[in-house]
């Protein structure tokens, strides 16, 4: 049987699959370098990808919901994502 997915769902899923694949690849890369300094550099560069994927998947989801959700709720969602990013990226 054929399943037809919404474009937004398909886009979000593909981004998350690619992000997860990148995480697994970096795990193997850390094992390959077998050096704590290099492993920390590789791990830190991967940490830059996480927020980017979060913003992209949320944006795709919001575009898919734009006609179904009120503008006020969209602003609440954007505000929530901004709070998450602020908490994750804020330096002490």
């Amino acid at each position: 049987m054929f399943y037809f997915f919404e474009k937004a769902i398909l886009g979000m899923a593909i981004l998350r699959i690619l992000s997860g694949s990148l995480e697994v690849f970096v795990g193997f890369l850390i094992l390959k370098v077998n050096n704590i300094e290099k492993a920390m550099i590789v791990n830190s560069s991967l940490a830059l990808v996480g927020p980017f994927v979060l913003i992209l998947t949320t944006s795709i989801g919001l575009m898919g919901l734009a006609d179904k959700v009120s503008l006020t709720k969209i602003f609440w969602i954007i505000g929530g994502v901004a709070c998450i990013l602020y908490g994750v990226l804020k330096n002490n």
Side-chain angles (χ1 to χ4, degrees), residues 32-61:
K32 181 176 171 50
V33 296
N34 197 23
N35 181 312
I36 191 69
E37 290 86 11
K38 291 178 183 177
M40 288 299 292
I41 292 170
V42 171
N43 190 56
S44 298
S45 60
L46 179 63
L48 297 173
V49 175
F52 181 69
V53 171
L54 172 68
I55 291 169
L56 273 178
T57 54
T58 303
S59 299
I60 292 171

Side-chain angles (χ1 to χ4, degrees), residues 8 11 19 21 26 28 39-40 48 57 63 67 77 79-81 83:
S19 175
S21 300
V26 168
F28 285 118
M40 288 299 292
L48 297 173
T57 54
M63 287 189 301
D67 59 339
I77 294 169
V81 171
C83 288

Side-chain angles (χ1 to χ4, degrees), residues 64-89:
L65 286 175
D67 59 339
K68 300 173 187 166
V69 177
S70 71
L71 189 58
T72 306
K73 287 184 181 181
I74 289 176
F75 283 124
W76 276 109
I77 294 169
I78 292 170
V81 171
C83 288
I84 291 169
L85 291 174
Y86 177 77
V88 169
L89 300 176

